[in-house]
Amino acid sequence: MAERNTAGRERNPIRRKNNLEQSLTGGVGKIPPQATDLEEAVLGALMLEKEAITAVVDILKPDSFYKDAHREIYDAILQLFNESEPIDLLTVTNKLRKNGKLEVAGGAYYITELTSKISSAANIEYHARIITEMAMKRQMIRICSEIQKDAYEETTDVFELLDTMEQSLFEISENNIRKNYADMKSIMREAITELEGKKDLADGLTGVPSGFTALDRVTSGWQKSDLVIIAARPAMGKTAFVLSVLRNASVDHSRPVAIFSLEMSAVQLVNRLISSEAELDSEKIKKGNLADYEWEQLIHKTSKLSSAPLFVDDTPALSILELRAKCRRLKAQSDIQMIVIDYLQLMSGDSKASASGNREQEISSISRALKKIAKELEVPVIALSQLSRAVETRGGDKRPQLSDLRESGAIEQDADIVMFLYRPEYYGINEDEEGNSTMGTGEVIIAKHRSGSLETVKLRFIGKYTKFTDLDLNVPYQPQGQEAMYGNKFPSAAGGKGFDDSNMIRIQSKANGPDEEEGFPGGLGSNDPAPF
């Protein structure tokens, strides 16, 4: 009787090998998928025509062949090709002899027989693809048998097993179905067709819209396969920014999007969205202290939000394995167009990186995995990230820079776009270099942009609604706090006349008394009626 451990796993390697072989053959006398006659034809053709190898070198690998002898022969052919040596019956036989593999390959007589079974290399590429298909089937049978074996073991982590299965199947297609090169004529035709499709886009957006006009002008929307890092110090409004982005994409443009929130619960996120959408003070939403007309306003304005294709997952300490599995399911079931992670430093990496105790390596592995998810699913992945305290210790305006990215330089390396959120008023900076007010404004600083320019986009930050909007001259002013006492007829931060800023805090001039402000009609001491 084979020796077993407490989990019931067989420790006898011979029996385990026999069980695996039985699984590979289906356990009912079946043989694995194969095409040995085509393998012989391809190998014979490769030794007959010197140019034949170039047609199949990117299709076939030694493991693509079913018979061990054929694997050794093809490996010898590849070695000769890499060494720029001629490939024929004699050189292949000699290479196998030097490698000590001639007998394993069937001997000189068997190799000679291969060349006698075929007269030319015609259709060699077609034959090679059939051999690859058979190899893919064998790989799938092997993966399924290993998954079945591991699934019976009590000590197996089911989520790791699920991720291993998904990743193994994905690697089969990645390793065997590769994109071939294309000539300039076909590429130009594809590029022109794409341009013709873009010319019909009135807004010029080729990706998922952010909803911010100036930002979309720079990025043309969030692009497929891009990893976007949005970094800032705490309390800068990272979550408010991405919620505004998600809301704009799902409500205004009906794009299915998903957010994985490791910091806030799903209900807290939705409360923020309600405050933003219904334009109700977030403090009132938090306390539930709403008047009857505010309840009506909430119900009326959130009707679109409730039917938006927005998915929220608030699993704490989400691992990269769980994230990958959930994203694949969301892509398959709901065709999500964008993924947001809030935020990167709260995730846990794979078990090896976590066990090493090196947090920088773990963050690096998470960053690489996020980029792989973006490429695999062909969706933009937006990950929020914290900045180091180096920002606070610097003098000047404390604008963040790439070296402030916390815990890992790999984040900067893997990201296609790195953006910083910056609100000068947080640091007590009330005016910019041109003397314009910075109150109620935020900046999106594009510090890295693999496919575009580096620019700074200014947005309006409405604190009581926890949202960002365009810095639009046509948005009506909504007084807040003490501003309601002064009215809203004052110049804008941009210097425009009559501009209403819905989140600008009014600061009295030091040159005037408390009851008078020169050039600000509607303030204290003014005879102009209040706007409400």
Side-chain angles (χ1 to χ4, degrees), residues 123-136:
N123 304 321
I124 188 172
E125 186 174 348
Y126 177 75
H127 295 160
R129 295 195 182 279
I130 294 177
I131 294 171
T132 299
E133 290 176 9
M134 296 296 123
M136 291 173 68

Side-chain angles (χ1 to χ4, degrees), residues 93-127:
T93 303
N94 189 50
K95 174 59 75 173
L96 287 168
R97 186 178 289 110
K98 285 183 178 180
N99 294 341
K101 300 289 186 180
L102 184 58
E103 295 304 318
V104 178
Y109 178 75
Y110 181 72
I111 298 172
T112 303
E113 276 191 328
L114 292 177
T115 58
S116 64
K117 291 183 178 181
I118 193 167
S119 58
S120 73
N123 304 321
I124 188 172
E125 186 174 348
Y126 177 75
H127 295 160

Side-chain angles (χ1 to χ4, degrees), residues 218 446-449 452-456:
V218 179
I446 304 177
K448 178 185 178 181
H449 192 187
S453 59
L454 305 181
E455 298 188 25
T456 296

Side-chain angles (χ1 to χ4, degrees), residues 128-144:
R129 295 195 182 279
I130 294 177
I131 294 171
T132 299
E133 290 176 9
M134 296 296 123
M136 291 173 68
K137 288 182 179 180
R138 292 197 299 273
Q139 285 178 304
M140 286 187 279
I141 292 172
R142 175 183 57 78
I143 290 169
C144 290

Side-chain angles (χ1 to χ4, degrees), residues 484-524:
M485 298 171 60
Y486 295 91
N488 67 335
K489 301 176 182 177
F490 51 89
S492 71
K497 294 182 179 180
F499 174 55
D500 298 332
D501 193 323
S502 66
N503 196 45
M504 184 174 290
I505 300 174
R506 188 177 181 201
I507 302 175
Q508 293 183 348
S509 169
K510 295 180 181 179
N512 300 316
D515 295 334
E516 180 183 5
E517 285 193 33
E518 188 174 333
F520 287 89
L524 286 180

Side-chain angles (χ1 to χ4, degrees), residues 46 56 60-62 65 70-78:
L46 291 175
V56 300
L60 291 176
K61 295 181 289 296
F65 292 85
H70 296 167
R71 291 195 201 105
E72 298 297 343
I73 295 170
Y74 185 70
D75 188 51
I77 292 173
L78 285 181

